[in-house]
């Protein structure tokens, strides 16, 4: 189907979103559109569709996010590109667009419309006019260097101030030097000096992401490596003050989609790979170990390069799995014995090598590592298999590797499906932790009784107050955890840090280990100390998070029991707990009720409040050894 026909279908389907099939069909059409102008038209077409329409009849089809946009030029068109990119991943943006060149006022003024809008994500787009508009008509290098220093310092202070007092993730761009500005200098020694000064100016902006956890700086130079992208349409710049070309705005919008997915918890976690004609050329069952293409030729080297790129993803915490129609003895030969195979058996957390339908294998893989199928990226050379998975599991992102092996790396990496705001020490250990998870499942199969299995696991749990090292992981848990996330709070590191510094808040991390190894930091609890109207103290459990890797072991019960004991020890009269339903956390809707709480209120925000009178506490989980303030001499909450 052509892009034009897809646009017509979208316009027709959006008229009746009470039918869930229509919403799903729109997303499917969006994912097939591949031309820049059509992307903008699709985004524009959907601007009139509200969040309530997308989530009609009580569905949670899309996730909302509030995005503020400010700039020194006319950039309103980026809204359409961002809406197009985000709706492809079922994220519904609500925008605030600042007026032309009002970015300083909007970011500085605490009462500005931007800050009243309270965006989860703030985008500030700038072009070289922030510098060149300050130059005299006869400017030369001394003046340019002076202005670059002046503007660079000013922008650094502006963005730092906004990031320090806002919980919003601030997305900036490095500012490209326009070719016409460069060409206005006629000697090459001076050209080199200009380029060096401009790079130092941009380095100052890039340094912001190291200084502030909630600043993301996009490197605009990289977008211009795409041959179809240009910096500026001179006519639009002259007549409409639109200083960035639509092709560049489209690239920036696509990159912002990756940031947003991390912010709202829709980052992918597992890369599932086919084998034949994907990890090597040829069919191992027919061609044999010596006959497949892997190394020793230009095409073979391309497959080796693909292996290396996958290995780097795994190093950063992406879970690897195999889903191949093959005899496992054959694929094992490649990973065990082929001299040019960079990927080895140990790199994969699990392998489904059989003759079952691949969409069924994907369900099995997700179940083995206890994540949703919507966190999978599936890679296969077969168009038939890809289309089958798209049809049966539309929530799985599918990459069809049709064509040259030399293009495989770009095909897998360009989407940025695994991007995150910051890697933590837990990410670097993820593969081994998930391998342990699979080993646990195998171990479990040897027991008739689930409780006997849990007793033999030798589980230990520690509740602790996070330090600076653990802080990124705690924030990451709020952003990545969807199922056991009782209120779906998404918190940035500065927000968690502010709560930790407030004596009215108690932020606890949960570590777990068992006979198969250290699970690391697997959960967190956010508790508010509150003085009641009668003067008594109450604890309010505002959120509880637990990684899907450690569900159903009693860890949450042990942690909650310790909080109840602590509340009693501090003299609290009761403990409240809050639950807000989401598309993913329904399994834990009755968490508080099953631990002795009673529902006492449900407000207009769909928040159900529960209360525990601190009389009869949950029974200690007999198979868990817990270390916490209430069971250790050392006060771990100090």
């Amino acid at each position: 189907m052509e892009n034009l026909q897809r646009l017509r279908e979208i316009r027709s389907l959006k008229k009746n979103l009470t039918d869930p099939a229509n919403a799903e069909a729109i997303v499917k059409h969006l994912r097939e559109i591949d031309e820049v102008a059509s992307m903008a038209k699709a985004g524009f077409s959907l601007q009139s569709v509200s969040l309530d329409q997308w989530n009609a009849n009580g569905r949670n089809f899309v996730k909302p996010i509030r995005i503020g946009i400010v700039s020194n030029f006319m950039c309103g068109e980026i809204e359409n590109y961002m809406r197009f990119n985000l709706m492809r991943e079922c994220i519904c943006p609500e925008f605030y667009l600042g007026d032309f060149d009002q970015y300083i006022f909007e970011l500085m003024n605490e009462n500005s419309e931007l800050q009243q809008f309270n965006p989860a994500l703030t985008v500030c787009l700038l072009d070289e006019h922030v510098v060149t508009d300050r130059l005299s008509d006869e400017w030369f290098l001394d003046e340019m260097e002076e202005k670059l220093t002046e503007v660079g310092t000013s922008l650094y202070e502006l963005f730092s101030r906004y990031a320090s007092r806002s919980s919003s993730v601030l997305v900036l761009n490095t500012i490209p030097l326009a070719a016409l500005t460069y060409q206005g200098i006629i000697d090459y020694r001076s050209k080199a000096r200009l380029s060096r000064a401009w790079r130092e100016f941009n380095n100052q902006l890039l340094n912001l992401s190291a200084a502030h956890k909630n600043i993301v700086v996009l490197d605009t130079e990289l977008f211009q490596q795409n041959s179809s992208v240009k910096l500026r349409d001179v006519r639009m710049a002259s007549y409409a003050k639109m200083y960035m070309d639509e092709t560049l705005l489209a690239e920036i919008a696509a990159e912002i989609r990756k940031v947003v997915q991390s912010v709202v918890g829709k980052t992918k976690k597992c890369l599932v790979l086919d084998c034949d004609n994907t990890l090597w050329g040829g069919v191992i069952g027919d061609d044999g170990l010596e006959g497949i293409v892997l190394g020793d030729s230009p095409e073979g080297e391309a497959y080796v390069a693909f292996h290396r790129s996958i290995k780097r993803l795994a190093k950063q915490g992406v879970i690897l799995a195999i889903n191949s129609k093959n005899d496992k003895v054959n694929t094992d030969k490649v990973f065990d014995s082929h001299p040019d195979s960079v990927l080895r058996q140990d790199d994969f957390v699990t392998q489904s090598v059989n003759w079952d339908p691949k969409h069924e294998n994907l369900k099995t893989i997700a179940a083995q590592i206890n994540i949703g199928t919507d966190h999978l990226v599936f890679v296969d050379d077969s168009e038939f298999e890809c289309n089958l998975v798209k049809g049966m599991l539309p929530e799985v992102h599918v990459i069809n590797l049709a064509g040259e092996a030399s293009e495989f790396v770009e095909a897998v990496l360009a989407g940025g499906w695994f991007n995150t705001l910051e890697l933590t020490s837990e990410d670097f250990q993820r593969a081994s932790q998930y391998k342990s998870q699979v080993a646990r499942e195998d171990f479990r199969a040897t027991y008739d009784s689930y409780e006997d299995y849990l007793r033999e696991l030798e589980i230990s749990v520690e509740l602790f107050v996070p330090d600076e090292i653990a802080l990124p992981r705690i924030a990451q848990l709020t952003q990545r955890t969807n199922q056991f996330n009782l209120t779906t709070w998404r918190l940035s590191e500065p927000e968690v840090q502010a709560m930790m510094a407030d004596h009215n808040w108690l932020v606890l991390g949960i570590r777990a280990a068992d006979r198969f190894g250290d699970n690391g930091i697997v959960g967190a609890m956010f508790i508010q100390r509150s003085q009641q109207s009668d003067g008594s103290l109450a604890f309010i459990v505002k959120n509880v998070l637990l990684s899907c890797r450690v569900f159903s072991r009693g860890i949450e019960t042990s942690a909650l029991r310790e909080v109840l004991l602590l509340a009693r020890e501090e003299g609290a009269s009761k403990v409240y707990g809050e639950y807000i339903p989401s598309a993913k956390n329904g399994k834990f809707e009755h968490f508080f009720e099953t631990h002795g709480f009673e529902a006492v209120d449900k407000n207009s925000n769909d928040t159900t409040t529960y209360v525990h009178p601190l009389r009869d506490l949950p029974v200690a989980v007999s198979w868990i050894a817990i270390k916490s303030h209430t069971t250790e001499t050392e006060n771990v909450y100090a």
Side-chain angles (χ1 to χ4, degrees):
M1 186 183 293
E2 298 295 328
N3 288 325
L4 182 59
Q5 182 61 29
R6 294 190 186 284
L7 289 171
R8 290 180 182 141
E9 289 287 327
I10 289 171
R11 292 190 192 104
S12 174
L13 290 164
K14 74 175 186 179
K15 295 174 183 174
N16 180 19
L17 288 177
T18 54
D19 183 348
N22 286 358
E24 292 170 5
I26 288 175
V27 171
K28 185 177 179 184
H29 284 305
L30 291 174
R31 290 176 177 171
E32 299 295 334
I33 289 176
D34 57 4
E35 186 260 332
V36 171
S38 296
M39 295 175 188
K41 289 174 184 174
F44 178 79
S45 174
L46 295 174
Q47 69 173 341
S48 60
V49 183
S50 69
L51 176 66
D52 288 341
Q53 287 174 288
W54 285 114
N55 288 338
N57 301 326
R59 287 178 297 155
N60 284 296
F61 181 67
V62 300
K63 283 192 172 187
I65 185 167
R66 296 163 73 86
I67 300 176
I69 304 171
V70 293
S71 178
N72 72 318
F73 61 93
M74 300 301 289
C75 67
E77 195 65 13
I78 199 171
E79 278 191 12
N80 294 324
Y81 291 109
M82 288 171 65
R83 188 180 296 106
F84 164 79
N85 279 281
L86 293 173
M87 281 309 309
R88 296 174 88 183
E89 304 308 318
C90 299
I91 301 170
C92 181
E94 178 185 357
F95 291 111
Y96 167 76
L97 180 65
D99 291 334
F100 170 75
D101 203 19
Q102 292 299 303
Y103 69 99
I104 295 176
F105 173 80
E106 294 276 18
L107 295 174
M108 283 189 67
N109 190 335
E110 294 184 27
N111 296 315
S112 68
E113 289 184 68
L114 168 73
Q115 304 205 34
Q116 294 300 311
F117 180 69
N118 192 25
L121 191 89
T122 302
V123 178
C124 181
L125 295 179
L126 300 178
D127 94 310
E128 69 166 16
H129 283 76
V130 295
V131 178
T132 56
D133 282 356
R134 300 181 184 216
L135 297 170
S136 65
D137 292 339
E138 299 85 14
W139 69 269
F140 203 60
L141 291 180
D142 287 345
E143 184 181 352
M144 173 65 88
E145 287 173 338
E146 179 186 341
K147 292 303 176 187
L148 284 171
T149 301
E150 179 183 309
V151 173
T153 302
S154 173
L155 290 178
Y156 192 94
E157 291 174 357
L158 172 68
F159 296 140
S160 292
R161 184 179 301 177
Y162 181 76
S164 297
R165 69 181 184 217
S166 171
S167 60
S168 180
V169 173
L170 176 59
V171 178
L172 313 171
N173 64 291
T174 58
I175 299 173
L177 172 64
L180 286 178
T181 303
Y182 178 81
Q183 289 162 359
I185 304 295
I186 61 173
D187 77 288
Y188 282 97
R189 189 178 301 278
S190 296
K191 284 176 185 286
R193 183 177 159 191
L194 172 61
S195 292
R196 184 175 64 248
W198 202 274
R199 283 178 170 78
E200 288 171 357
F201 167 67
N202 274 323
N203 283 342
Q204 200 167 358
L205 296 178
L206 290 164
N207 287 338
L208 280 160
S209 66
H212 298 277
K213 301 285 188 183
N214 56 338
I215 290 184
V216 174
V217 185
L218 307 181
D219 192 340
T220 313
E221 277 190 24
L222 299 178
F223 303 139
Q224 294 176 277
Q225 289 182 12
N226 184 333
S227 60
S228 65
V229 173
K230 65 178 183 178
L231 171 62
R232 183 173 299 154
D233 181 324
V234 291
R235 292 174 304 170
M236 294 300 289
S238 297
Y239 300 134
K241 302 294 184 187
M242 187 173 168
Y243 297 148
M244 283 188 185
D245 186 73
E246 290 206 30
T247 54
L248 180 55
L249 290 178
E251 287 289 312
I252 292 174
E255 194 67 26
I256 290 174
R257 184 268 300 164
K258 304 170 190 174
V259 178
V260 171
Q261 281 193 275
S262 179
V263 170
V264 303
K266 288 182 76 77
T267 300
K268 307 295 183 183
K269 298 178 180 177
C270 179
L271 178 63
V272 186
L273 297 145
D274 174 43
C275 288
D276 291 333
N277 292 312
T278 297
L279 290 180
W280 53 78
V283 178
I284 182 64
D286 295 337
D287 301 323
L289 193 63
E290 295 77 19
I292 62 171
V293 180
L294 185 59
D296 286 336
S297 69
E299 185 183 4
E301 289 300 324
Y303 282 105
V304 172
F306 188 44
H307 279 218
R308 289 183 176 133
S309 68
I310 293 167
K311 192 109 173 175
R312 279 193 293 278
L313 289 177
K315 176 71 176 176
Q316 298 170 83
V318 176
I319 307 164
L320 301 186
I322 291 290
N323 183 6
S324 172
K325 285 185 174 176
N326 244 309
D327 291 323
K328 193 163 184 304
V329 64
N330 289 328
T331 57
D332 284 352
K333 285 179 188 171
V334 182
F335 299 127
D336 290 336
S337 308
H338 199 289
D340 292 314
S341 180
V342 175
L343 294 170
R344 298 295 181 185
Q345 297 278 4
D346 283 352
D347 291 313
F348 302 102
V349 170
T350 183
Q351 299 185 38
S352 289
V353 182
N354 50 47
W355 300 95
D356 295 338
K358 292 199 173 182
H359 63 279
E360 294 296 337
N361 279 342
L362 289 170
K363 293 179 189 174
T364 302
I365 289 168
Q368 283 179 321
I369 53 182
N370 206 9
I371 63 174
T373 50
D374 58 335
H375 290 293
L376 302 179
V377 173
F378 174 58
V379 179
D380 199 307
D381 68 296
S382 165
E383 186 175 4
F384 169 80
E385 297 289 2
C386 288
N387 287 336
L388 183 61
V389 171
K390 286 179 184 177
M392 301 303 292
L393 300 172
E395 69 277 15
V396 175
H397 184 77
V398 177
I399 298 174
N400 185 4
L401 294 182
E404 290 291 327
S406 57
E407 298 173 349
F408 287 3
V409 174
E410 182 179 0
V412 170
L413 297 185
W417 301 107
F418 306 101
N419 285 13
T420 184
L421 296 183
E422 182 180 8
L423 288 174
T424 69
S425 58
E426 302 290 324
D427 293 316
F428 293 104
Q429 300 169 16
R430 180 161 293 122
S432 63
Q433 291 171 346
Y434 274 96
K435 272 187 245 180
S436 298
Q437 170 68 16
V438 174
R440 284 184 198 95
E441 291 301 310
D442 293 341
F443 183 63
R444 175 181 171 178
T446 65
Y447 285 86
D448 294 330
S449 160
Y450 187 63
E451 188 169 323
D452 288 344
Y453 157 72
L454 291 173
R455 290 186 190 287
E456 292 300 320
L457 269 184
E458 302 169 6
I459 303 170
S460 62
V461 172
E462 180 188 2
L463 264 67
F464 67 99
V465 173
D467 56 15
E468 288 296 319
I469 296 173
L471 175 62
R473 172 59 178 164
I474 299 296
Q476 187 191 61
L477 276 167
T478 73
Q479 294 153 8
R480 295 174 65 107
T481 307
N482 294 306
Q483 296 180 74
F484 203 132
N485 187 341
L486 296 186
T487 54
T488 320
W489 269 10
R490 307 294 185 192
L491 299 174
S492 63
E493 284 186 43
E495 287 175 305
V496 177
Q497 197 166 30
M499 294 167 74
M500 289 164 54
D502 187 337
H503 292 298
N504 292 318
W505 282 92
L506 177 61
V507 179
L508 295 176
I510 304 172
R511 282 196 188 94
D514 60 28
R515 64 183 297 163
F516 290 97
D518 185 2
N519 288 289
I521 301 173
V522 296
M525 305 178 81
F526 296 86
I527 301 147
Q528 188 177 29
R529 294 183 175 95
S530 172
Q531 291 294 327
Q532 302 296 284
S533 57
D534 62 1
S536 65
L537 172 68
F539 275 25
I540 305 174
V541 181
K542 302 293 285 188
N543 200 11
V544 183
L545 304 137
L546 197 67
S547 167
C548 55
R549 290 184 284 120
V550 294
F551 284 178
S552 306
R553 300 180 197 173
I555 291 174
E556 63 275 23
T557 297
S558 293
L560 183 61
R561 184 175 186 276
E562 293 305 311
V563 169
L564 297 175
L565 285 168
L566 179 65
R568 182 187 275 178
E569 190 175 303
E570 288 195 13
S573 60
K574 56 191 72 170
V575 172
Y576 293 95
E578 293 183 354
Y579 171 78
I580 302 174
S582 72
K584 294 288 188 68
N585 70 3
K587 181 178 178 180
F588 303 100
E589 178 182 0
H590 302 294
F591 171 71
F592 286 114
E593 289 170 305
T594 56
H595 291 87
F597 287 68
E598 291 183 6
V600 292
D601 184 46
K602 185 171 185 177
N603 65 22
S604 57
N605 294 327
D606 223 11
T607 302
T608 302
T609 301
Y610 299 85
V611 65
H612 194 291
L614 290 176
R615 287 192 294 271
D616 300 321
L617 302 190
V619 175
V621 181
S622 59
W623 54 82
I624 291 180
I626 188 161
K627 177 183 179 182
S628 74
H629 169 61
T630 55
T631 56
E632 297 285 329
T633 303
E634 180 188 8
N635 182 352
V636 299
Y637 303 129

